[in-house]
């Protein structure tokens, strides 16, 4: 067991994250599931702050909490006849799923325990925002531009896919 | 001090919860939410490695930013497809959407 304030914060965040994640996949009402998703994303942002990635924590709150979950909630609202509590929300694969997931978890934890990582204890020379900004506009400028094109394509694609067919519009 | 293995264990658990959601949810939006959980687990891994293995570079965090961006694109396109399926099939339970099955 660990002691100290960071460890206590870590355990609280981890408990909130795993608990809300389990609620996301198991709760009956899909709308409540989206709300638990917000809680889970917030605790992931807290974990980023513990990992000294402040910029990523801000991005997490802005994009995941602010954009993606709102998008999910919009989609749930637009398909609203489907989230009443009477409709069964999980299929018949719960027990096989549990077995598969348990086996995967055991295998992953075993692999984790038997690997030695090359840890490094240097301290970064700049703040994470400065470092990330510098890298994004020097070494990673090509992926940065490509990802913006991908976002634009996804935006246009989503509009075209979701817009009603021509006959309905008139 | 909270070490690398703690973060990796946490993200492994989160990833497994996400997989369980993908395997058992009937609602397509629920599946998309579980996929987002898995993306978050991967991002925690990236950031943890970035802090504990290469603390002077920020390559892991850059990767996490790209993952978040692609996740946003995936969510928009995925939800647009879900809305289209809802309009055409009157339902988004994935076990009813089998019109492409021979």
């Amino acid at each position: 067991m660990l002691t100290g304030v960071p460890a206590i914060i870590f355990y609280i965040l981890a408990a909130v994250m795993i608990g809300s994640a389990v609620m996301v996949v198991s709760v009956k009402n899909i709308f409540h599931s989206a709300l638990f998703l917000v809680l889970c994303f917030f605790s992931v942002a807290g974990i980023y702050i513990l990992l000294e990635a402040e910029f990523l924590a801000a991005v997490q709150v802005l994009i995941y909490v602010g954009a993606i979950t709102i998008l999910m909630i919009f989609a749930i609202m637009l398909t609203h006849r489907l989230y009443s509590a009477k409709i069964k929300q999980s299929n018949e694969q719960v027990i096989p799923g549990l077995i598969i997931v348990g086996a995967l978890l055991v295998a992953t934890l075993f692999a984790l325990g038997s690997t030695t990582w090359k840890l490094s204890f240097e301290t970064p020379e700049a703040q994470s925002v400065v470092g990330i900004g510098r890298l994004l506009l020097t070494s990673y400028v090509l992926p940065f531009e490509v990802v913006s094109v991908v976002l634009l394509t996804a935006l246009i694609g989503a509009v075209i896919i979701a817009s009603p067919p021509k006959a309905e519009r008139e | 001090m909270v070490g690398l293995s703690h973060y990796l264990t946490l993200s492994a658990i989160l990833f497994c919860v996400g997989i369980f959601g993908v395997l058992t949810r009937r609602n397509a939006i629920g599946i998309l939410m579980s996929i987002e959980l898995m993306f978050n687990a991967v991002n925690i891994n990236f950031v943890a490695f970035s802090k504990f293995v290469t603390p002077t570079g920020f390559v892991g965090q850059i990767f996490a930013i790209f993952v978040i961006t692609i996740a946003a694109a995936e969510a928009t396109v995925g939800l647009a497809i879900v809305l289209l399926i809802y309009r055409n099939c009157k339902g988004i339970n994935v076990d009813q959407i089998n019109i492409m099955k021979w």
Side-chain angles (χ1 to χ4, degrees):
Chain A
M1 280 303 269
L2 299 162
T3 49
V5 176
I8 294 169
I9 296 172
F10 174 79
Y11 280 120
I12 292 173
L13 285 173
V16 171
M17 183 197 301
I18 301 299
S20 57
V22 168
M23 294 303 273
V24 167
V25 298
S26 65
V27 99
K28 266 224 144 116
N29 189 332
I30 194 85
F31 188 78
H32 293 172
S33 171
L35 296 182
F36 276 114
L37 196 66
V38 172
L39 186 61
C40 185
F41 286 160
F42 261 119
S43 47
V44 173
I47 290 284
Y48 287 159
I49 290 178
L50 267 188
L51 283 166
E52 293 163 17
E54 300 87 1
F55 178 68
L56 220 58
V59 167
Q60 169 87 10
V61 172
L62 281 177
I63 295 183
Y64 269 115
V65 180
I68 291 185
T69 33
I70 298 300
L71 205 63
M72 298 268 176
I73 288 174
F74 257 100
I76 293 169
M77 294 291 196
L78 289 173
T79 57
H80 66 111
R81 265 172 288 157
L82 300 168
Y83 72 86
S84 72
K86 285 176 210 131
I87 300 173
K88 208 158 102 4
Q89 288 291 350
S90 59
N91 57 16
E92 300 80 37
Q93 314 295 330
V94 174
I95 309 248
L98 272 179
I99 293 170
I100 291 171
V101 164
L104 182 72
L105 186 63
V106 169
T108 319
L109 292 184
F110 180 75
L112 261 179
S114 58
T115 313
T116 44
W117 309 102
K118 270 195 214 145
L119 294 187
S120 156
F121 293 100
E122 297 165 71
T123 46
E125 68 267 29
Q127 279 181 317
S128 72
V129 185
V130 179
I132 288 173
R134 201 167 285 149
L135 275 182
L136 272 184
L137 290 181
T138 52
S139 318
Y140 294 90
V141 68
L142 182 65
F144 182 67
E145 298 294 339
V146 168
V147 100
S148 64
V149 176
V150 168
L151 266 183
L152 182 68
T153 318
L155 193 70
I156 297 171
V159 169
I160 289 178
I161 290 173
S163 62
K166 227 175 197 169
E168 263 178 56
R169 249 180 282 158
E170 284 153 10
Chain B
M1 193 190 148
V2 189
L4 175 61
S5 57
H6 292 90
Y7 290 104
L8 296 187
T9 310
L10 178 67
S11 90
I13 297 172
L14 190 63
F15 191 81
C16 288
V17 172
I19 286 187
F20 179 74
V22 170
L23 288 177
T24 57
R25 275 279 180 203
R26 282 179 79 215
N27 194 320
I29 299 175
I31 292 178
L32 279 176
M33 290 198 275
S34 310
I35 292 175
E36 298 299 333
L37 287 182
M38 288 156 70
F39 276 130
N40 270 281
V42 173
N43 277 343
I44 292 175
N45 260 2
F46 273 132
V47 181
F49 279 127
S50 169
K51 185 183 174 206
F52 288 101
V53 181
T54 57
T56 48
F58 295 98
V59 185
Q61 296 191 28
I62 301 262
F63 241 94
I65 290 174
F66 286 137
V67 170
I68 289 177
T69 325
I70 298 301
E74 171 261 337
T76 41
V77 175
L79 290 173
I81 293 175
V82 165
L83 286 184
L84 195 67
I85 290 174
Y86 176 73
R87 202 179 296 140
N88 287 324
C89 302
K90 304 289 171 235
I92 50 169
N93 286 341
V94 286
D95 44 5
Q96 296 164 352
I97 307 167
N98 53 7
I99 52 172
M100 283 174 81
K101 205 153 96 182
W102 181 250

